[in-house]
Amino acid sequence: MSYFAGIDVGSLSSDAAVIDQDGTLKGWSVTETGPHSTNAAEAALDAALAMAGLSRDDLAFVVATGYGRAAVPVAGKKITEISCHALGAYSLFPDVGTVIDIGGQDSKVIRLGENGKVADFVMNDKCAAGTGRFLEVMAAKLGVGLNDLGPLSLAAGGEVSISSVCTVFAESEVVSLVAKNHPIDQVIKGLHRSVVNRVAAMTGNIGITPRVIMSGGVAKNAGVVALMSERLGVAISVPEEPQIVGALGAALMAAREAK
């Protein structure tokens, strides 16, 4: 039996996936990237192998993806995250038409063609607004746990509009809103709306084709997913572990490379 691995090195997390020759996921991991991308990639791979009950000697090929893919010496090939996210999503949802990936410091919308191939895409990597980092900063400013944002947003009876599109200015706006005794849950929902509007605006450049999948760490935020579905007017599916979609795609690419 041959095994293959994919490592997705992002700004906030480094994720790994290990599959067998049939494409079955055997192990995976999500690890904080920290200041050293190479160390994070190594740790992510070792954790995924441990879950699979395998060692590096069992791997036939490794592919790295993500913004830090150049810092993964164990990889036999480096491939753009756009292709890997598309293939990973296609393997999980064969009828996928669009992938919305909101990561730590960038967001991207990918429209797929036949067999999981990329038909078109648009990416925002110039500004933290509309990313996981934006929500992380706001959660800290509000004194709320990152995992609590989604439930609080869903439970909010209304929402407070956030006018600032810049993270720095939005921080000041949030402080001002809280000082004026606006309910925190409604402020959070407004922040989520800001993220959704920014990402949804990107889709206008390439269009949306159902079925729509959300991946990346922000896909774990049910408040954002609900607002995105409302904004786009389509149902949105979320993988069981949305952070490993890129790593899974990289592992599938590794299997192709080996052949």
Side-chain angles (χ1 to χ4, degrees), residues 57-192:
D57 291 338
D58 295 310
L59 295 175
F61 203 83
V62 179
V63 163
T65 190
Y67 97 103
R69 59 186 178 273
V72 186
V74 71
K77 189 168 185 178
K78 283 82 170 176
I79 298 177
T80 169
E81 62 263 37
I82 300 297
S83 297
C84 290
H85 274 276
L87 183 57
Y90 175 72
S91 72
L92 296 171
F93 302 93
D95 60 344
V96 61
T98 306
V99 178
I100 298 174
D101 179 81
I102 307 180
Q105 292 187 356
D106 67 38
S107 51
K108 42 193 170 285
V109 181
I110 309 166
R111 186 163 52 80
L112 278 65
E114 294 183 357
N115 301 318
K117 293 184 178 180
V118 177
D120 202 356
F121 75 93
V122 61
M123 185 172 183
N124 163 42
D125 59 357
K126 305 298 183 186
C127 176
T131 69
R133 178 58 180 164
F134 175 82
L135 293 177
E136 186 178 30
V137 169
M138 297 307 161
K141 183 62 66 175
L142 290 167
V144 174
L146 195 58
N147 293 332
D148 296 325
L149 292 179
L152 285 169
S153 176
L154 290 174
E159 66 182 89
V160 178
S161 177
I162 307 297
S163 59
S164 302
V165 296
C166 170
T167 302
V168 175
F169 294 139
E171 275 190 87
S172 298
E173 186 175 355
V174 163
V175 170
S176 175
L177 290 169
V178 172
K180 294 177 182 176
N181 295 318
H182 287 284
I184 287 181
D185 58 351
Q186 295 186 19
V187 173
I188 291 170
K189 189 169 183 178
L191 288 167
H192 286 171

Side-chain angles (χ1 to χ4, degrees), residues 176-231:
S176 175
L177 290 169
V178 172
K180 294 177 182 176
N181 295 318
H182 287 284
I184 287 181
D185 58 351
Q186 295 186 19
V187 173
I188 291 170
K189 189 169 183 178
L191 288 167
H192 286 171
R193 180 79 67 182
S194 175
V195 170
V196 165
N197 287 343
R198 194 172 184 88
V199 175
M202 295 165 56
T203 68
N205 296 322
I206 63 171
I208 285 288
T209 302
R211 178 177 189 172
V212 180
I213 308 300
M214 272 190 70
S215 63
V218 177
K220 294 181 177 180
N221 184 319
V224 172
V225 175
L227 289 176
M228 186 69 76
S229 177
E230 174 191 305
R231 175 71 168 76

